[in-house]
Amino acid sequence: MARVRKIAFEEHYTAVGFKDYTKSFSQHIDPAVFADIGARLEDFDDMRLREMDEAGIDYVILSQTGPGVQAEPDAALALSRARQNNDFLAEQVARHPDRYGGFAVLPMHDPATAARELERCVGQYGFKGSLVNGHTNGRYYDDPAYDTFWECMQALDVPLYLHPVDPYVTPQAYQGHPELVGATWGWGVETATHALRLLFGGVFDRFPRLKLILGHMGEGLPFQRWRFDSRFSVYSHGITLQRAPSEYIGSNIVITTSGVCSPHALNAAVAEMGEDAVMFSVDYPYESTRIAARFIEEAPMDETVREKICSGNARRLFKL
């Protein structure tokens, strides 16, 4: 079988000053394992490019690993570190412009400040959008104050990748079960809920050209589209939307396969959302590039659909 060329864009790195933020989850990973992850996060040459070549990945869009400045309580420091990080990333991208693009780190503490930093990164560095690690100290972006930011993002015509993060307050249901709080379960629930806040908060009605990206096969949302329509029609609580809830999932909300290498889930997501709304990614270095590449190459599907998922949809979304 000929190797299918690929683009990936939940591919992480880290920069000076950001390791303190990762302690929230790295403390739960075996130190030897995280030492290897840490080395991969800091590498922009040998290891990363070799894995890309072996997997047939032509191009990746790099993003700062979570939780990043979303976990920084000081807004001024968050801006300073975001700018430093974005400048650093631009330098790495400039060294391999045919292989790397960048997602901006944004200090979402203040919507106008975040909008200005996004404008700077897109205009000055050609970044492809942004990756934001969930809420900022418990503040969610359906808050009408963030319309300033969403207006800017729509005008720039770049997407935002909403990446998982811990819940601001750990739910009672997780008490005594720390394994549920993070990547195994809680991160997906947290991120899907944030995306639904944007949907039901009318953000996509106010800014209909927005594109929000969810990883991990859409954090489960594709598989609940029918139920969202059914139950919202009964329990709307006075909220009105211009379209059925399901219609935003696949148009405004698009997804990647990162971290879910299940052919059955992939085919179901394509069936629910359409072949233009699903895209390949790895979640490097937390997931195996080799396994992800083999999965997408061997999953049973039409080859024209496979090409869209592996690279075509990303080329269109990011204007590559």
Side-chain angles (χ1 to χ4, degrees):
M1 180 188 298
R3 172 132 271 174
V4 183
R5 309 315 300 179
K6 306 171 193 69
I7 293 169
F9 51 96
E10 190 182 328
E11 319 310 317
H12 304 299
Y13 72 96
T14 195
V16 176
F18 280 75
K19 289 184 179 178
D20 289 346
Y21 299 131
T22 64
K23 289 178 182 176
S24 63
F25 67 89
S26 64
Q27 62 182 320
H28 303 299
I29 300 175
D30 179 89
V33 173
F34 196 76
D36 177 69
I37 290 174
R40 293 173 184 275
L41 285 169
E42 294 177 356
D43 170 71
F44 294 87
D45 297 293
D46 298 338
M47 290 186 288
R48 191 184 296 266
L49 289 172
R50 183 172 62 251
E51 286 202 25
M52 288 170 59
D53 290 340
E54 291 172 353
I57 299 174
D58 293 329
Y59 185 82
V60 300
I61 301 174
L62 300 169
S63 56
Q64 170 62 242
T65 193
V69 297
Q70 270 65 69
E72 173 54 57
D74 186 304
L77 180 57
L79 173 59
S80 174
R81 285 190 166 176
R83 290 179 66 91
Q84 179 187 24
N85 182 89
N86 291 327
D87 294 344
F88 172 84
L89 178 56
E91 293 173 0
Q92 308 312 311
V93 170
R95 292 172 54 240
H96 300 286
D98 58 331
R99 307 303 301 276
Y100 296 153
F103 275 145
V105 172
L106 297 180
M108 298 291 284
H109 306 61
D110 175 72
T113 299
R116 287 193 297 269
E117 183 61 10
L118 180 62
E119 286 180 322
R120 184 180 82 92
C121 290
V122 173
Q124 183 173 329
Y125 294 139
F127 280 7
K128 305 305 180 185
S130 62
L131 183 143
V132 173
N133 292 290
H135 63 81
T136 295
N137 301 311
R139 194 175 184 193
Y140 292 85
Y141 311 135
D142 58 309
D143 183 331
Y146 282 93
D147 279 5
T148 298
F149 171 78
W150 297 121
E151 182 177 22
C152 171
M153 196 181 112
Q154 179 171 262
L156 292 171
D157 193 23
V158 294
L160 182 147
Y161 202 125
L162 187 64
H163 187 268
V165 73
D166 284 345
Y168 185 59
V169 177
T170 302
Q172 179 66 24
Y174 298 164
Q175 295 301 320
H177 285 273
E179 74 280 5
L180 297 180
V181 178
T184 302
W185 177 250
W187 284 359
V189 174
E190 170 68 26
T191 308
T193 302
H194 196 160
L196 290 176
R197 289 181 64 119
L198 300 175
L199 192 164
F200 288 109
V203 171
F204 302 126
D205 285 345
R206 297 194 295 278
F207 305 100
R209 298 195 311 279
L210 286 183
K211 283 289 190 294
L212 184 79
I213 307 167
L214 298 178
H216 317 111
M217 213 64 81
E219 313 291 3
L221 292 187
F223 315 112
Q224 295 291 322
R225 290 173 72 250
W226 189 93
R227 183 164 176 80
F228 293 145
D229 291 351
S230 169
R231 294 304 86 199
F232 182 65
S233 68
V234 179
Y235 303 109
S236 70
H237 296 277
I239 296 171
T240 58
L241 295 173
Q242 293 175 9
R243 295 184 285 162
S246 65
E247 294 182 38
Y248 300 89
I249 302 172
S251 55
N252 298 102
I253 297 174
V254 296
I255 72 170
T256 75
T257 64
S258 65
V260 180
C261 296
S262 163
H264 303 297
L266 172 61
N267 285 323
V270 171
E272 281 289 342
M273 301 178 67
E275 61 193 43
D276 295 330
V278 182
M279 292 164 281
F280 170 77
S281 283
V282 176
D283 203 350
Y284 179 92
Y286 301 102
E287 297 283 353
S288 165
T289 304
R290 178 182 56 81
I291 291 173
R294 187 177 64 198
F295 146 70
I296 204 66
E297 289 173 355
E298 296 179 355
M301 65 175 58
D302 183 89
E303 291 305 316
T304 60
V305 176
R306 193 188 319 276
E307 188 279 331
K308 281 187 173 185
I309 292 170
C310 285
S311 65
N313 290 337
R315 292 185 188 281
R316 174 172 43 80
L317 178 63
F318 298 111
K319 308 178 190 67
L320 298 175

